[in-house]
Amino acid sequence: MPRFSIVVPSHGVAGRLSQALDSILAQSFGDFELIPVCDAPDSPAADVVAGYAERDSRVTPVHSPPSAGLAGARNTGLRSAVGGHVLFLDGDDVLVPGALAALDARLGAVGDVDVLYFEHERTPWWEGEPANPAAPLLAGTPDGAFSPDRAPRLTGVALPAWSAAYRRGFLTEQGLAFPGDHFTDTGFGGLVALRAERVAALRTVVVRHLLRRQGNRLNLPGEHHAELLDQTELVLTRAVEQGLPADRLRPLFEQLFAAVLKTAAHPRRLPAGRRAFFRRASALYRQHRPAGHQPPGGSLSVQHRLLAAGSYAAFRTLRAANQRAARAAALLPRPRGLRTRLRYAAGLRLPLDENLAVYCAYWGRGYACNPAAIHAKARELAPHIRSVFLVEPEAVDSVPKDVEYAVIGSRKYWRVLARAKYLVNNANFADAVVKRPGSVHLQTQHGTPLKKMGADQATYPVVAAATGSFARLLARVDRWDYNLTSNRHSTEMWEKAFPGAHETLEYGYPRNDVYYTASAEDVARARKELGVPDGKKALLYAPTHRDYATGFASGLDLAEFCEAIGDDYVVLLRAHYFYDQGSSRGGGRIIDVTGHRSSEDVCLAADALITDYSSIMFDYANLDRPIVVYADDWEVYREVRGVYFDLMESPPGRVARTPEELAAVFRDGGWADESATALRAAFRERFCQFDDGRAAERVVRRVLLGEPPESIPPVIPLAERVPAPAAATLVRS
């Protein structure tokens, strides 16, 4: 029997789950079993956990459906546990180094107590000083094992479940489990403290809790706050049935109703049902108030007295000042210019147009990418929705003739932004755009992250300086309702890079649908438009932007490269979209396609891709055509820009580090040999998970038509997909 069983629910934290598991498996004390609780065998967290289970026999995952909530996940893990003591760790928390050794030593000193409480550290997600809220509660406890009667303020309801280790035999004998769904820590902690006979304290930080940027889910608005009263009633009823002494009942009552009053006084948490919540809380207060109980001093005393009297009208008046302050703090961001500001404000006062959708791609650079693909599918599946594409003045010509558009900054632009029900973007709308209640914002992204993105850029000075205000960036993230991903890697990385309350849609990238729906005729048309000569193999060269460089500067002399590989090839040069303006580069066998509207057409036309660290490799892999990585400055790029994985260890094909190596790869046929094919197959398995030709349909049905998740077309398995045909059969020279 292991010393410890560590239960780790993982719903919604796949992006940070590895940190939690690593912190456990790296402990110097190794006598434990680790029980991750995943939603389902095919969930994002299950993918993360599977790798750990293969490498370490102590990892034994179990499954609990999301509908069972946190309580259900913990109870499932508890039923599977066989260790002497049980710890519950949230999936985005970590054990500090030496934590299990400290717990083992403390248990050895005090004996197998029912509960061993310990300190924890709450760490701000961005900046600020960590806090240790458990320290004051544990400071006055006896040094050894003691009866709960000797520490009456240690009621259990003021500490999270992951701030204690529980003797498994005690939990089993007493039939203790996590009650309800929301506020389950309150109920569980209170019931445990009521039933425990011998407890002890460890005045050392054991768990480091990373505060979520979006805050505790329990603090969000909703009907779930009524469950706080359920848990309060449950604990106080059990306390009365048990005949809890008055000196223990009073602090238990105070701590429970401190949480109740905090919710009742917070208007945002109770958008509806405030009167009913207050009345029930008042009844519970009067029913369970201990004899001789004195309310605390200060303004809190007034709230206690009003709750005891059931005076909701007076309580509401007292709260009005806080409501006015909240409204003042929530002043709308305003666009520049008085007239524009007034027009936009007037539009915001009008009802949402339920049949209006606004699209934008690359900050208005044109009709492109995922927004354009969704727009086209919406015209087919949701023709009742009026669609308006936003573009900069110089990009108007890129918009197809039958597509309605609005020029960014114009009256029409602000008018449709104020009224639109649906807002779709692959970057972000202007800071002045207000997220109206009832509107739906879809972030489609425009690539798979190899380089660090969003908040993850903060520790890279060169990138952080160019990014600007992270506070403003994250304020834009707060507008998102949905975030689109094309693979599990993206799901996990976006969760860390863009922390927020939005829902992730693992539907694939709509812009990549064409890689499975295009015909041989479409490929021939694209090659003709780009000027690819008949009988030539087209190599797409697509380098990415360097944050530490000024302007476009290719690390490869394309003229020399073409001379070295022979006359069978032409090169399609597509620089990063930051450099889509200016004079054409190259000539003859070098065709500059940087300014071409559709990167998808460029990829269809190419027989192979040469890139460095551009995310185009993830999209191009859907075509199952050769990819060569030219990594002449990988070490510099990795250190300056930051990356999520080592591309040199998991490339999509052959890797060249010098111009000579790159030319040799094409001269000897290594670009398309068996080794390159095997690397590409592994890469596609990892990064082409959800792109199957039906991504746009899934998005339109779920977001614009409101169809339930279970009715959305499933992703076609990779082995069953048929990519668009290449222009020529690639064989080894």
Side-chain angles (χ1 to χ4, degrees):
M1 179 177 69
R3 180 63 150 160
F4 299 107
S5 293
I6 307 172
V7 177
V8 185
S10 61
H11 178 65
V13 293
R16 295 182 293 276
L17 182 58
S18 293
Q19 299 177 33
L21 302 183
D22 288 342
S23 75
I24 298 169
L25 295 174
Q27 291 288 313
S28 58
F29 183 89
D31 186 15
F32 62 83
E33 63 170 349
L34 173 54
I35 308 175
V37 187
C38 306
D39 295 345
D42 61 347
S43 65
D47 286 352
V48 175
V49 169
Y52 286 89
E54 291 177 2
R55 297 189 297 270
D56 198 314
S57 61
R58 295 173 297 179
V59 182
T60 55
V62 296
H63 301 101
S64 177
S67 58
L70 176 62
R74 286 175 172 170
N75 289 334
T76 297
L78 178 58
R79 287 192 294 269
S80 302
V82 297
H85 281 76
V86 183
L87 284 81
F88 300 96
L89 191 71
D90 283 354
D92 49 0
D93 295 341
V94 297
L95 289 181
V96 302
L100 295 184
L103 289 174
D104 177 67
R106 184 59 173 160
L107 289 171
V110 299
D112 284 338
V113 292
D114 296 331
V115 188
L116 175 61
Y117 294 104
F118 49 73
E119 296 177 4
H120 64 269
E121 187 176 84
R122 293 181 179 268
T123 305
W125 82 274
W126 187 251
E127 60 183 13
E129 293 298 320
N132 185 346
L137 285 172
L138 302 183
T141 55
D143 290 334
F146 56 90
S147 165
D149 293 337
R150 297 180 59 194
R153 296 202 60 78
L154 196 58
T155 66
V157 301
L159 290 174
W162 36 262
S163 197
Y166 309 88
R167 185 168 62 85
R168 186 173 60 85
F170 159 68
L171 297 179
T172 303
E173 294 159 7
Q174 297 294 331
L176 291 168
F178 287 87
D181 185 6
H182 299 92
F183 302 97
T184 186
D185 281 19
T186 299
F188 181 76
L191 296 178
V192 164
L194 290 175
R195 297 291 180 84
E197 296 181 358
R198 294 181 74 248
V199 301
L202 173 62
R203 300 185 193 94
T204 300
V205 171
V206 171
V207 171
R208 183 168 292 120
H209 173 66
L210 177 64
L211 295 172
R212 299 172 67 88
R213 174 180 172 264
Q214 56 271 39
N216 191 323
R217 292 189 182 99
L218 296 180
N219 294 336
L220 296 175
E223 298 178 354
H224 63 278
H225 287 282
E227 293 189 37
L228 174 58
L229 300 180
D230 295 340
Q231 302 289 358
T232 298
E233 183 174 17
L234 171 65
V235 173
L236 289 175
T237 299
R238 294 286 178 84
V240 172
E241 293 173 351
Q242 188 173 312
L244 196 69
D247 60 344
R248 287 187 62 190
L249 183 58
R250 279 193 291 270
L252 176 63
F253 178 86
E254 289 175 3
Q255 291 176 20
L256 285 169
F257 275 95
V260 170
L261 282 169
K262 187 175 182 180
T263 296
H266 201 302
R268 182 173 174 271
R269 295 184 187 179
L270 294 168
R274 298 170 189 165
R275 185 185 297 273
F277 182 93
F278 185 88
R279 286 178 174 173
R280 185 182 171 199
S282 178
L284 287 174
Y285 189 98
R286 292 192 297 270
Q287 178 184 354
H288 292 284
R289 179 172 48 186
H293 172 259
Q294 294 295 323
S299 60
L300 193 57
S301 175
V302 179
Q303 295 185 26
H304 271 261
R305 296 179 190 279
L306 293 177
L307 187 63
S311 303
Y312 177 72
F315 190 88
R316 183 178 58 186
T317 302
L318 183 66
R319 192 181 58 197
N322 292 334
Q323 291 176 307
R324 286 193 296 271
R327 283 195 295 269
L331 287 175
L332 300 178
R334 299 179 298 176
R336 295 179 180 177
L338 178 59
R339 291 183 179 179
T340 302
R341 193 159 61 235
L342 292 175
R343 291 193 195 101
Y344 185 51
L348 292 172
R349 289 194 292 270
L350 297 174
L352 282 175
D353 186 336
E354 298 291 327
N355 292 317
L356 175 59
V358 171
Y359 299 81
C360 190
Y362 299 117
W363 302 275
R365 292 176 182 268
Y367 186 81
C369 196
N370 291 317
I374 296 170
H375 173 276
K377 184 59 68 172
R379 299 176 74 185
E380 172 189 336
L381 299 179
H384 62 285
I385 294 180
R386 175 191 172 199
S387 299
V388 180
F389 222 93
L390 308 180
V391 291
E392 291 286 357
E394 59 271 17
V396 168
D397 290 341
S398 75
V399 182
K401 300 301 181 183
D402 59 344
V403 171
E404 183 180 358
Y405 68 89
V407 175
I408 291 177
S410 66
R411 292 186 182 184
K412 182 178 180 180
Y413 167 82
W414 288 110
R415 185 168 65 249
V416 296
L417 280 176
R419 300 287 310 279
K421 166 79 171 183
Y422 307 101
L423 295 95
V424 181
N425 207 322
N426 74 347
N428 266 304
F429 289 100
D431 291 343
V433 173
V434 174
K435 174 67 167 74
R436 296 186 62 178
S439 65
V440 177
H441 284 238
L442 168 64
Q443 168 60 250
T444 74
Q445 303 294 346
H446 55 270
T448 290
L450 166 62
K451 59 190 177 186
K452 292 295 180 77
M453 301 293 291
D456 289 339
Q457 298 173 341
T459 55
Y460 294 86
V462 172
V463 188
T467 300
S469 169
F470 283 96
R472 292 171 63 185
L473 166 68
L474 295 170
R476 295 190 288 270
V477 171
D478 285 340
R479 297 186 302 213
W480 303 353
D481 293 287
Y482 298 104
N483 186 33
L484 198 59
T485 75
S486 58
N487 48 63
R488 284 280 162 79
H489 165 78
S490 295
T491 298
E492 296 173 21
M493 299 310 106
W494 294 148
E495 183 179 314
K496 295 191 299 181
F498 302 115
H502 49 266
E503 178 182 348
T504 296
L505 299 180
E506 293 184 321
Y507 287 174
Y509 280 164
R511 71 180 185 187
N512 292 343
D513 285 352
V514 69
Y515 298 143
Y516 296 98
T517 61
S519 64
E521 291 74 17
D522 294 322
V523 173
R525 174 193 52 78
R527 290 170 68 88
K528 183 176 181 180
E529 287 183 359
L530 295 174
V532 178
D534 292 338
K536 298 290 186 180
K537 293 184 178 70
L539 306 180
L540 171 59
Y541 176 51
T544 192
H545 168 66
R546 302 298 199 275
D547 297 274
Y548 46 88
T550 302
F552 175 77
S554 172
L556 180 66
D557 187 318
L558 291 179
E560 289 186 4
F561 173 69
C562 287
E563 185 68 25
I565 62 176
D567 294 336
D568 291 340
Y569 303 93
V570 296
V571 172
L572 306 177
L573 169 62
R574 189 169 181 86
H576 191 275
Y577 62 81
F578 285 177
Y579 314 112
D580 62 358
Q581 298 176 355
S583 59
S584 176
R585 292 169 285 269
R589 292 172 58 195
I590 302 171
I591 305 172
D592 189 346
V593 297
T594 301
H596 190 77
R597 178 181 62 83
S598 172
S599 63
E600 291 76 44
D601 278 359
V602 172
C603 288
L604 285 173
D607 296 297
L609 169 69
I610 304 171
T611 188
D612 41 23
Y613 326 117
S614 170
S615 67
I616 198 173
M617 73 178 79
F618 302 98
D619 304 316
Y620 191 83
N622 283 285
L623 289 168
D624 199 15
R625 302 177 190 174
I627 302 173
V628 177
V629 175
Y630 178 56
D632 60 331
D633 61 346
W634 169 248
E635 287 74 19
V636 175
Y637 186 88
R638 180 178 58 188
E639 291 301 317
V640 175
R641 188 60 173 85
V643 294
Y644 287 113
F645 68 94
D646 191 342
L647 182 63
M648 300 302 102
E649 294 185 0
S650 305
R654 297 293 295 272
V655 176
R657 304 300 297 266
T658 67
E660 293 75 21
E661 288 181 8
L662 182 63
V665 165
F666 283 91
R667 283 198 306 268
D668 65 18
W671 62 304
D673 63 11
E674 292 183 0
S675 174
T677 301
L679 290 170
R680 185 170 72 252
F683 191 84
R684 295 183 75 233
E685 188 73 29
R686 181 179 180 185
F687 295 111
C688 298
Q689 286 174 288
F690 309 134
D691 291 333
D692 64 351
R694 300 190 68 180
E697 178 185 353
R698 283 189 282 269
V699 171
V700 171
R701 291 191 181 280
R702 178 69 190 283
V703 178
L704 301 185
L705 297 178
E707 295 183 8
E710 58 271 15
S711 70
I712 304 303
V715 174
I716 300 171
L718 184 63
E720 299 177 16
R721 303 175 206 164
V722 180
T729 302
L730 299 177
V731 295
R732 184 165 180 159
S733 299

